[in-house]
Amino acid sequence: VDFIGVGDHTLYDHILDWSERFGLTCTRVKAAKLTGLDAYFTQARGRDGIHALDMTKYFDSNYHYMVPEVPDDVTPTGDFKEFIRQIKLGQQTVGKEKTVPIIVGPLTLSKLCKPCGDLSSDELLTRLLPCYEQLLKELQQAGVSEVQFHEPWFVKSEAVNLKDVASVLYGKGSILTSSKSGISVNLCIHFDSLHVDVYKYIITLDVERITLDFCRGSSMLSILEREGFPNNKQLGAGIVDGRNVWKSEESAAKLLTRIRKLVADDNKVVVSPSCSLQFIPYDLSLEKDLPSDVREQLAFAVQKLDVL
């Protein structure tokens, strides 16, 4: 394993984590003057007189996330001390060259939030960007050379109309690109195929690697074959299914063979899970009471890494 994603560890929910890092604590929790873990777990679970945030399905996964509530007058502020601590711990454990921070991208985060008034997701996105710039500066100071921006919102049908937004975020000269931050970007898009028109503009963005889901994305292979892939980027081939608990060695091997035939230079293909492994159980070996006929069909996160 050449690159290890770090920073998606969570005490409850990764979207709640990022909303807290950007100062998006909901109004009723702020009014109760709760801070730190008290504020965090009140939003997650509620307490007497304060109800929790809504929970809803996270794209096409079996995971549910806490929906941040954002008032019209919100001013995001970045507090990344705990996240940077996780990254530094990862660097100490596996080495700086292997440690790749995982960040929920600004488009996806802004779209997942629930406005409490007239605030649009576009305006929230604009207000979040300076905090993302601050985050990249702090990561650069910590010696980070590559980040993953997870942007599954690009699989949504509305993404055909988001070309200009994508260009603002990841186009040439954007604050999120390596030309500005000095950090290489792996743009990770999972949970489904891209629309062909979305694929066409995604591959023009100023990022070093684009990771796509070839497990849930049933049409990604045909799009790759028809449209090709740029020579100046690496393709992250998401061929190990991170969404379900079933074994997938044979299908992963077949996918990789087909992808390598479509991308001329093998060195441009980086094999990866189709999405973060946080959405499935940890280790099948810890399950002592499963019937053998069921066990032999399963693969949890640790076993998926064996397949990788």
Side-chain angles (χ1 to χ4, degrees):
V1 178
D2 298 308
F3 306 101
I4 299 175
V6 175
D8 56 353
H9 166 78
T10 181
L11 295 175
Y12 199 87
D13 168 54
H14 70 299
I15 299 300
L16 179 57
D17 293 343
W18 282 105
S19 69
E20 285 294 281
R21 288 167 187 152
F22 287 117
L24 304 182
T25 303
C26 74
T27 302
R28 60 184 173 278
V29 172
K30 283 184 177 178
K33 301 188 184 305
L34 297 173
T35 59
L37 290 179
D38 285 338
Y40 181 88
F41 281 105
T42 298
Q43 291 174 99
R45 303 296 298 273
R47 64 167 58 194
D48 288 347
I50 306 176
H51 62 85
L53 298 174
D54 291 342
M55 178 183 286
T56 195
K57 191 174 177 67
Y58 190 67
F59 296 90
D60 190 27
S61 73
N62 295 316
Y63 181 80
H64 289 66
Y65 75 97
M66 309 307 300
V67 183
E69 297 175 8
V70 184
D72 287 343
D73 61 353
V74 68
T75 301
T77 55
D79 182 355
F80 307 116
K81 291 190 293 293
E82 176 57 24
F83 184 68
I84 298 297
R85 188 196 68 80
Q86 288 186 42
I87 302 310
K88 289 182 176 179
L89 178 60
Q91 292 173 333
Q92 293 166 12
T93 305
V94 301
K96 281 190 175 182
E97 71 284 354
K98 287 191 172 185
T99 301
V100 181
I102 295 175
I103 304 168
V104 175
L107 173 65
T108 296
L109 182 61
S110 64
K111 292 290 189 178
L112 293 179
C113 290
K114 179 173 74 174
C116 297
D118 297 325
L119 180 68
S120 68
S121 60
D122 289 343
E123 175 59 27
L124 176 59
L125 176 60
T126 299
R127 297 183 193 181
L128 283 170
L129 283 181
C131 296
Y132 275 92
E133 183 177 19
Q134 174 193 339
L135 172 58
L136 288 176
K137 287 180 179 178
E138 293 187 27
L139 289 171
Q140 196 273 337
Q141 291 167 2
V144 168
S145 58
E146 179 178 322
V147 297
Q148 292 182 15
F149 279 114
H150 285 204
E151 290 282 23
W153 200 266
F154 282 117
V155 305
K156 293 284 192 176
S157 58
E158 72 167 87
V160 295
N161 300 316
L162 295 177
K163 180 179 180 179
D164 290 343
V165 174
S167 182
V168 167
L169 296 178
Y170 301 106
K172 194 171 184 61
S174 163
I175 60 173
L176 302 184
T177 60
S178 60
S179 61
K180 290 291 185 180
S181 70
I183 300 176
S184 296
V185 172
N186 179 3
L187 182 60
C188 302
I189 305 170
H190 36 258
F191 296 133
D192 209 340
S193 298
L194 292 175
H195 187 284
V196 63
D197 292 338
V198 177
Y199 178 82
K200 287 179 179 179
Y201 72 68
I202 288 292
I203 61 175
T204 69
L205 298 176
D206 190 20
V207 297
E208 284 68 31
R209 186 180 306 151
I210 300 170
T211 297
L212 302 173
D213 186 340
F214 287 91
C215 296
R216 300 296 296 173
S218 58
S219 64
M220 280 314 310
L221 276 172
S222 60
I223 291 174
L224 180 63
E225 181 176 19
R226 187 165 65 250
E227 302 298 331
F229 192 78
N231 292 325
N232 62 342
K233 293 176 175 55
Q234 286 187 321
L235 172 63
I239 61 170
V240 178
D241 199 333
R243 181 186 171 277
N244 67 42
V245 297
W246 306 112
K247 283 187 175 179
S248 59
E249 294 100 323
E250 185 176 346
S251 58
K254 289 179 179 179
L255 279 171
L256 181 57
T257 298
R258 295 181 66 186
I259 290 167
R260 281 183 167 157
K261 288 180 179 178
L262 298 175
V263 179
D265 185 351
D266 271 1
N267 292 324
K268 292 190 177 296
V269 178
V270 179
V271 180
S272 74
S274 64
C275 62
S276 172
L277 297 177
Q278 71 186 98
F279 305 115
I280 56 176
Y282 172 57
D283 186 355
L284 183 60
S285 69
L286 300 177
E287 304 295 332
K288 305 299 185 183
D289 300 321
L290 286 173
S292 58
D293 60 330
V294 174
R295 177 184 295 276
E296 65 186 16
Q297 300 180 62
L298 298 177
F300 293 174
V302 170
Q303 288 72 43
K304 299 280 186 177
L305 288 177
D306 291 337
V307 174
L308 187 65

